[in-house]
Amino acid sequence: MTNPLMGRCACLLVLLGSLLVTGCATKFEKQAFNNEASAGVKKIAVQQWNDLDEYGVRVLNHPGMSFGLIGGLVAAADTASKTKKLNDVLDPKSTRLTTDFYAKALPGLRQAGYEVVAVPVKRGAKPAEAKEAVRVMKGQDAFLLLTFEAGYLAAGASTIYYPFVAMTAELNDSKSQAVLYKEAYHYGYNSGNKDVVFIEAAADCKFADIDKLVADIDKTRGCLTASVDILVKQMVADLKK
């Protein structure tokens, strides 16, 4: 019989690992906004994800990962335990980073001169399906694909936890499918990847351990939500004609 806790733990490791898909080992093929190729872009369809179900907590170089399958299960269980401890007090239903992001990003894009239509996409949708939902919208000149994940990361078992918000943005021409713009942003935890735009969090957004992380939940939440204005400002500035 499959242990549901272990299954959930494994899924959490995969989820938080995906936060670093643009991290140290993977080169992100960015592309600066092509103003000339985008001259005719007036209306864009924007992929709008629903809110996160939880904010993960992960130790990237967990010592358990050095001991095969059993160690991996220990690491996964530790990840699940810390994630639950954070979310029990953070409450994802009231910490709605994704909703807050779109509430500011969509008006920001309109102020930058675009007509914008948002296309809702549910988390868990396959990448190809999520892209197709936006691509097939009628009447737009381009479509904007976004990914948005958040949590807390520590490099090792005895190192500091930092907030980590990862966002990618890719603007595609609706007719030719050409990539007009592609960028990745990392807020808080610094993966050291030169291919992404790194945005430093406030100096006091550092937590020595999981107990410190949940001790002042308003501060913990604030260190995550502070990313919204910064990410919106950066993306809108990048796409401004």
Side-chain angles (χ1 to χ4, degrees), residues 164-192:
F164 184 60
V165 180
M167 188 183 86
T168 64
E170 179 180 330
L171 186 69
N172 292 261
D173 184 273
S174 290
K175 292 182 179 178
S176 68
Q177 307 294 302
V179 177
L180 305 174
Y181 163 77
K182 188 175 181 181
E183 188 60 272
Y185 309 90
H186 284 181
Y187 162 88
Y189 182 88
N190 188 354
S191 67

Side-chain angles (χ1 to χ4, degrees), residues 144-159:
L144 182 62
L145 306 175
L146 298 169
T147 67
F148 194 83
E149 299 290 350
Y152 272 88
L153 301 183
S158 59
T159 60

Side-chain angles (χ1 to χ4, degrees), residues 53 55 86-96 217 221:
D53 293 327
Y55 296 92
L86 174 63
N87 285 270
D88 282 349
V89 290
L90 186 64
D91 187 6
K93 291 181 179 179
S94 62
T95 308
R96 303 176 67 189
I217 204 61
R221 180 184 293 108

Side-chain angles (χ1 to χ4, degrees), residues 199-212:
I199 302 163
E200 192 171 5
D204 64 342
C205 287
K206 303 174 184 178
F207 303 87
D209 51 43
I210 186 64
D211 291 329
K212 292 288 195 304

